Amino acid sequence: GAVVSQHPSRVICKSGTSVKIECRSLDFQATTMFWYRQFPKQSLMLMATSNEGSKATYEQGVEKDKFLINHASLTLSTLTVTSAHPEDSSFYICSARGFPQGGEQYFGPGTRLTVT
Amino acid sequence: GQQLNQSPQSMFIQEGEDVSMNCTSSSIFNTWLWYKQDPGEGPVLLIALYKAGELTSNGRLTAQFGITRKDSFLNISASIPSDVGIYFCAGRHPDDKIIFGKGTRLHILP
């Protein structure tokens, strides 16, 4: 139980284009989903928190117009990196929290984004 | 943003040795969590601790929630090659936000 998937696992895009990353909870309903960013050899930094059907809450310093988050259902959240630049290259990881999995965050396998 | 003080940053040990790592914070947490991350993967929850003083085991892993609610440790007994990876502590604030430590990188020498 508590399986979270992400798609794609890797994506390479050209500077200026937009990329969408999907996060799905496969065997539970995710009342809350989280998006993190992780640079090489660094810890996870929370970007935003989204509750199903509500607007996402962004952490300080994260541009909401650049990182568009949609949480339209209890099993799917999407992160769209708009007008991507090389500095947006990173490992993006989502997590989901809900019931009946005890309320803890379970993480997806991550998406490696490379902007050329 | 705020981060926990996790130590050591990295460890090089022989297979079969016991491992100990810890996290400290200036803030009180309601919950302490320990995750393991393999290269190119997302973190996997190992142990969750909910009460001050709580000691919980998961196989060869044992973790404790410090009495002051500002620290936690994780022990791994009789390490094996598949224990290699990055271990993150995480603390959950009363506002439900989770803060991660910087990680402990465990290496096992051949």
Side-chain angles (χ1 to χ4, degrees), chain A residues 8-14 17-21 37 67 79-82 84-92 110-116:
Chain A
S9 57
R10 290 178 174 269
V11 57
I12 301 173
C13 71
K14 290 184 186 276
T17 62
S18 295
V19 174
K20 181 185 283 188
I21 302 170
R37 186 173 180 176
F67 298 101
L79 167 68
T80 301
V81 183
T82 63
H85 288 95
E87 57 265 30
D88 298 325
S89 299
S90 189
F91 194 49
Y92 292 87
T111 297
R112 172 75 58 194
L113 170 63
T114 304
V115 185
T116 60

